[in-house]
Amino acid sequence: MPSTQTPINGIPLKDKPEGISRCGMSHATIAQNIFTGRWYEISANGQVIGSALDLDFYKQVATQGQNSGSTVKTKDLSKV
């Protein structure tokens, strides 16, 4: 896990992603800069978005809609 002072990189997002839950830095895939309010997808290839002290961390959580899609695919495969 990076130090709290190590710069973290991310790719800017247009809006707040849906279906996210606050989490610790080591599990996060999304971050929000607490000073600017901008949302980012955490990525080694992105721009520097701040240190861990500047960010709130989030992860994508499964929603009922996402789970039902995989159920439909399973039913389709069983018909083959």
Side-chain angles (χ1 to χ4, degrees):
M1 178 183 333
S3 156
T4 56
Q5 296 300 316
T6 304
I8 296 175
N9 296 350
I11 299 169
L13 300 172
K14 292 182 181 183
D15 297 310
K16 176 183 177 180
E18 291 186 27
I20 59 173
S21 176
R22 190 118 185 236
C23 68
M25 182 170 74
S26 61
H27 298 288
T29 57
I30 297 169
Q32 181 185 31
N33 186 298
I34 61 173
F35 300 109
T36 65
R38 299 267 333 248
W39 290 90
Y40 299 90
E41 179 180 352
I42 297 172
S43 170
N45 299 326
Q47 65 193 36
V48 173
I49 60 174
S51 73
L53 298 174
D54 302 329
L55 303 169
D56 284 332
F57 295 97
Y58 298 84
K59 65 181 176 180
Q60 207 70 40
V61 293
T63 63
Q64 189 174 8
Q66 291 172 335
N67 291 339
S68 64
S70 62
T71 304
V72 171
K73 289 179 185 176
T74 303
K75 288 179 182 176
D76 287 346
L77 291 174
S78 67
K79 293 179 183 178
V80 176

